[in-house]
Amino acid sequence: MSGRYFEPMESMASQTDSSSIPHVLAAIAQRYVGDHPPHGPVYRVTRSGDIRKQQDHLYQFPIERMFPDMDEGQRVYAWAKLWIDQPQPFVFLLRCFGPVRLYHNGQKRFGSSTEEEGAGEQALKLKIDLTRGWNHFVLELGRNAQGSCGAEFGTGSRKNKPFHFLTPSEEREGEEGWIYTVPVDIPLEPIPAISLTEASTGMKWLPVREQRSQETVCMEQLYGLQPGMEAFAWTTVINLTASMKRIKLAGAAYGPLRFLWNGKELHSVHEPGDFSLVLDVMPGSSDLIAHCLCDEQGWGFSICELSREARLAAARIVHGYKGKWLFLGPFPAGSAVDAADYLTMDRVAASGQEALFWTTGQRGGHVRLFLENELFGRWNYPLGVTLNGLLETSKLLERSDLADYVTRHVEFATATYDYSKWDRERFGAAGLNNQLSHIDSLDDCGSFGALAILADRLRPLKGLRKVSDDIAYYIMNVQDRMEDGALYRRIGVSPSMHNTMWCDDMYMSVPFLCRYAELSGDPLYMDEAARQLLLYKKYLYMPAEKMMSHVYDVNIGKRSQTFWGRGNGWVFFSLAVLLVVLPQTHESYPAVLDFYRELAEGYLRLQGKHGLWHQVLTDPESYEESSCTAMFIYSFALGVRHGWLVDPEPYVHAVLTGWQGQCERAIDKHGNLYGVCKGSSWSFSHAYYKHELGWNLNDTHGIGIVLLAGVETQRMKAYLGT
């Protein structure tokens, strides 16, 4: 089976004629959606405290500030757990500001040396073999002779794996964050490797958890006595029967309040004392909101009686919280805040200069949204292409379910955009939208942003325009540029990427600029898209080979001279996207079209004997790579259909043999996609791309573009009447 990803009998081509493109597309799309169901965000409690995430998604343990009187011989222990779906080695980052030991599942994985303590900006990379299920981490933090102590610890991949840790004890099950001890003289033995009660460890753990009655809604304990302020409490009344019931609710008011039921005022209380009200409750759950006002005597209420046919429950499952009410406030009286506007729990409310979100009934117990899906709801550039492929597949197959899946994924991110920026500011790093809320590169915004605009054409998506406007502003005004205006990476995600220009960034910018030009009606953005492609040609195009160098090193003014398949694919793909929408009367159209034709000629001659292109385009010994193959198929097929090619016949042949090759050698009968190069760094050496940059199964860098290639192949065939 040399050179093959699977046995021929396992291929898609063994099960269906590859000319049955809709069948192949349906299999790929259905497998993807089935593997990544559209779960919503997870709500968890986060407690206020000194240990918190930073913008780089490392948790900060400022022991020196937390315990300034800690002795040199004492230790502080911090404990948390992390859920992992599949066993894998993973790189974590650790900065030591004093003596540090790290334990994983009860085993010591690291102990700092004197030289590693007080390392400042230099983070240590620790590769740890994570197990399926819960992985318990314990940090033992000491103070050195110079008085330094503390650490920073967390994910080594803040963009792709922005891990958030959960509290590990049974008492705090479901909360986000770490628990920790005060400085102790005796060691923690044994080091926890499973969830335990806190008492069983022999240590007292912080932060302190408040215990309160579930029936008492005491605004004074949450917000203090603030006459003239108001706040909301929200619960659901659950009818436990199969028919409409009249439910009695009785209790005591501590101050003025009114109850809102189905959006209308049901009952009001003007002074402290007992109250009762009757609710007509349909089967299932219904929202009940209490609007509480603070006077000199207090505010809030308690529930002492509820008909047995019903119960109260928190309006959302908030992991780490067993209370029945969620709270929003406080606001100045008369602020005209309508709690009903915030029941979707995807936006913050304004209270003067402060922004507020729902909390639990415990002081310092914040409710936060977390993305815990592997892919659904995530915002990153490979998913921009993946969802674009699903969107076009939905049109070809007339599958509204696929289109709905795409719009729901996009709206997961856009609807929570403002919330995620507030969450990042309030807690150090956002629990979702980790890239969108902290844009610092074209990767973070352009690809998915282009797809989001396309999805918005199916139905208006909440928050889409604000997101799009901010991305456009970032590309035009914030992203670093060369003196001639060419976009480049002054700061990369690692030092080796600083001061470089990547051909990948054409796809991270050009399609978005095209879509935003259409959205805004401003041709400036179309002009910029064409300008950038021609500027990148200046720096990265190699005319003798009619290919693109992967990277231009700005420091030394030199191309890498590496012929990486997908990097070339990104440029060709972007050219095709631009040519579809660029008016033929545009001043740059002839130059852009010539650029497309030159690259098309260069790529055509490099197609492999099985119809696929290779990871290193000029090296047939490198592996057959699926994503670049799909990009060339897609762009050739568009060129045939739009008349961009002077002699289209060789390109028609390349498209059809390329699609056949994908079905025979890269797509199996279950709709799995093989041979997709994983996310890359860069090198001046072809050997890096050939030997070090391997491929992944079902990598999102390839799924969407393979779908797009199939869609455009089918459209080309229809255009040709075959």
Side-chain angles (χ1 to χ4, degrees):
M1 206 173 73
S2 176
R4 299 192 65 98
Y5 295 115
F6 44 74
E7 294 286 353
M9 278 299 293
E10 297 177 295
S11 70
M12 181 63 73
S14 73
Q15 300 297 310
T16 182
D17 184 345
S18 62
S19 64
S20 181
I21 294 174
H23 178 82
V24 178
L25 298 179
I28 298 172
Q30 288 167 187
R31 184 212 58 77
Y32 177 83
V33 172
D35 285 351
H36 304 288
H39 300 311
V42 175
Y43 303 90
R44 295 192 181 278
V45 173
T46 291
R47 295 192 181 276
S48 299
D50 293 299
I51 297 176
R52 55 181 271 153
K53 262 191 176 187
Q54 304 176 117
Q55 291 187 12
D56 57 5
H57 288 259
L58 301 186
Y59 286 85
Q60 181 185 44
F61 301 84
I63 304 302
E64 190 169 354
R65 184 176 76 241
M66 294 165 65
F67 304 110
D69 298 326
M70 176 178 170
D71 294 334
E72 184 178 340
Q74 293 182 312
R75 297 290 184 267
V76 169
Y77 291 91
W79 177 22
K81 65 183 180 180
L82 181 67
W83 177 267
I84 296 297
D85 286 323
Q86 297 295 331
Q88 57 184 281
F90 190 81
V91 174
F92 292 88
L93 299 182
L94 173 65
R95 292 189 179 95
C96 305
F97 302 113
V100 177
R101 290 180 181 173
L102 174 67
Y103 298 86
H104 169 242
N105 288 342
Q107 301 298 312
K108 180 182 172 183
R109 304 298 185 194
F110 172 80
S112 62
S113 66
T114 303
E115 292 79 9
E116 292 165 328
E117 297 166 10
E121 293 299 315
Q122 185 62 40
L124 303 170
K125 294 183 178 181
L126 307 178
K127 181 179 283 189
I128 295 176
D129 291 327
L130 300 175
T131 60
R132 185 184 185 280
W134 288 116
N135 291 258
H136 285 254
F137 289 82
V138 175
L139 286 167
E140 181 185 280
L141 304 163
R143 181 186 292 273
N144 61 23
Q146 290 73 42
S148 297
C149 55
E152 295 172 1
F153 175 73
T155 179
S157 179
R158 71 173 178 88
K159 294 202 174 187
N160 297 319
K161 298 288 184 180
F163 287 141
H164 54 272
F165 288 80
L166 304 184
T167 54
S169 66
E170 293 180 3
E171 297 92 329
R172 308 181 196 236
E173 182 64 35
E175 294 185 17
E176 183 268 345
W178 294 69
I179 59 175
Y180 57 94
T181 69
V182 297
V184 295
D185 298 304
I186 58 174
L188 173 63
E189 292 182 344
I191 297 295
I194 59 173
S195 293
L196 303 167
T197 64
E198 294 175 19
S200 68
T201 67
M203 296 283 182
K204 181 179 179 180
W205 296 90
L206 301 173
V208 173
R209 294 172 65 246
E210 297 178 344
Q211 302 294 331
R212 291 185 183 170
S213 167
Q214 302 301 315
E215 309 299 335
T216 300
V217 178
C218 185
M219 296 298 190
E220 188 172 344
Q221 290 181 345
L222 275 177
Y223 306 123
L225 186 62
Q226 301 188 59
M229 301 297 282
E230 58 186 42
F232 298 93
W234 172 32
T235 190
T236 56
V237 182
I238 300 177
N239 181 347
L240 301 174
T241 73
S243 60
M244 192 274 286
K245 290 293 181 182
R246 180 153 288 185
I247 305 298
K248 181 181 179 182
L249 195 69
Y254 308 146
L257 76 154
R258 60 192 187 105
F259 287 98
L260 307 174
W261 179 250
N262 294 327
K264 297 181 180 179
E265 183 173 320
L266 174 70
H267 185 79
S268 61
V269 178
H270 300 290
E271 58 186 26
D274 295 339
F275 68 85
S276 65
L277 60 152
V278 175
L279 309 171
D280 291 327
V281 186
M282 298 299 293
S285 61
S286 303
D287 293 319
L288 176 66
I289 297 172
H291 181 196
C292 303
L293 283 75
C294 183
D295 62 14
E296 299 294 339
Q297 301 177 72
W299 55 333
F301 60 93
S302 62
I303 303 296
C304 59
E305 183 183 350
L306 181 66
S307 302
R308 64 181 182 179
E309 296 94 344
R311 66 181 177 88
L312 301 182
R316 295 286 188 276
I317 296 175
V318 179
H319 297 273
Y321 181 53
K322 296 180 181 179
K324 299 177 181 179
W325 298 83
L326 299 178
F327 301 86
L328 184 64
F331 303 94
S335 59
V337 173
D338 186 349
D341 293 338
Y342 303 96
L343 301 189
T344 53
M345 292 191 74
D346 58 10
R347 55 184 295 203
V348 294
S351 177
Q353 298 299 312
E354 186 179 5
L356 302 174
F357 194 67
W358 296 97
T359 66
T360 69
Q362 299 177 351
R363 185 184 293 272
H366 305 278
V367 178
R368 294 180 63 199
L369 280 63
F370 291 93
L371 173 61
E372 298 187 1
N373 303 324
E374 178 65 25
L375 294 180
F376 183 81
R378 195 169 296 280
W379 175 292
N380 62 35
Y381 82 81
L383 281 171
V385 191
T386 301
L387 297 182
N388 192 0
L390 284 174
L391 196 61
E392 291 303 310
T393 298
S394 75
K395 296 176 185 177
L396 184 72
L397 303 182
E398 298 182 345
R399 289 275 300 271
S400 61
D401 60 318
L402 295 178
D404 180 63
Y405 179 89
V406 172
T407 56
R408 289 174 65 187
H409 183 137
V410 175
E411 197 166 44
F412 187 117
T414 60
T416 56
Y417 174 52
D418 283 339
Y419 162 81
S420 63
K421 291 195 297 180
W422 170 84
D423 190 50
R424 171 176 169 247
E425 181 179 344
R426 174 66 179 80
F427 297 102
L432 42 66
N433 283 345
N434 66 297
Q435 292 190 49
L436 180 59
S437 67
H438 188 185
I439 296 174
D440 63 10
S441 70
L442 293 170
D443 281 4
D444 290 339
C445 56
S447 169
F448 202 105
L451 170 275
I453 293 173
L454 293 176
D456 185 66
R457 295 175 184 176
L458 298 182
R459 65 172 176 85
L461 301 180
K462 188 175 181 179
L464 181 280
R465 185 57 193 259
K466 177 67 161 57
V467 170
S468 300
D469 290 348
D470 285 0
I471 293 172
Y473 182 85
Y474 175 84
I475 293 176
M476 299 297 288
N477 300 288
V478 180
Q479 175 66 35
D480 291 301
R481 293 171 180 257
M482 306 280 279
E483 288 186 5
D484 58 7
L487 299 166
Y488 85 112
R489 307 183 183 197
R490 184 179 64 85
I491 301 295
V493 296
S494 66
S496 66
M497 298 182 184
H498 295 346
N499 292 309
T500 54
M501 179 185 293
W502 294 42
C503 60
D504 314 44
D505 282 341
M506 284 299 86
Y507 191 75
M508 312 310 152
S509 58
V510 168
F512 175 82
L513 292 168
C514 293
R515 305 308 178 204
Y516 191 75
E518 295 167 327
L519 176 68
S520 66
D522 189 340
L524 168 69
Y525 298 95
M526 196 76 72
D527 297 343
E528 182 67 8
R531 175 172 171 251
Q532 288 300 323
L533 269 171
L534 296 176
L535 282 170
Y536 266 54
K537 179 182 181 182
K538 166 186 167 183
Y539 287 99
L540 292 165
Y541 182 56
M542 296 178 287
E545 296 84 358
K546 294 188 176 179
M547 279 184 287
M548 301 291 285
S549 168
H550 181 205
V551 168
Y552 178 83
D553 188 323
V554 175
N555 286 326
I556 61 176
K558 181 180 177 182
R559 300 185 186 107
S560 65
Q561 302 287 113
T562 44
F563 309 139
W564 181 40
R566 189 161 67 231
N568 277 266
W570 287 129
V571 176
F572 201 41
F573 191 176
S574 302
L575 274 165
V577 170
L578 176 60
L579 282 170
V580 169
V581 297
L582 188 67
Q584 294 187 21
T585 55
H586 193 281
E587 62 179 359
S588 296
Y589 186 89
V592 172
L593 180 60
D594 286 346
F595 189 16
Y596 168 88
R597 287 172 172 169
E598 290 174 42
L599 287 175
E601 184 180 337
Y603 300 144
L604 180 66
R605 59 185 172 81
L606 293 171
Q607 188 173 23
K609 62 182 180 181
H610 300 122
L612 287 79
W613 280 260
H614 291 268
Q615 163 75 344
V616 178
L617 291 173
T618 55
D619 186 352
E621 297 300 315
S622 63
Y623 62 86
E624 293 175 326
E625 205 282 318
S626 301
S627 65
C628 75
T629 294
M631 290 180 184
F632 297 142
I633 292 172
Y634 170 87
S635 303
F636 285 165
L638 273 176
V640 171
R641 191 157 62 87
H642 288 275
W644 302 332
L645 298 158
V646 177
D647 179 12
E649 190 58 37
Y651 298 96
V652 172
H653 179 75
V655 168
L656 297 178
T657 56
W659 182 253
Q660 178 70 23
Q662 293 275 48
C663 292
E664 290 178 350
R665 303 180 67 83
I667 306 169
D668 74 12
K669 62 185 179 182
H670 301 293
N672 293 300
L673 178 63
Y674 293 72
V676 180
C677 176
K678 62 186 180 182
S680 76
S681 183
W682 75 282
S683 174
F684 281 103
S685 168
H686 284 98
Y688 163 73
Y689 299 87
K690 180 177 181 178
H691 300 296
E692 297 182 46
L693 196 53
W695 62 272
N696 289 332
L697 176 67
N698 291 326
D699 194 297
T700 51
H701 287 87
I703 295 169
I705 188 56
V706 168
L707 291 172
L708 288 171
V711 168
E712 286 306 325
T713 300
Q714 181 74 2
R715 289 172 177 166
M716 183 195 76
K717 291 174 63 179
Y719 170 78
L720 296 173
T722 60

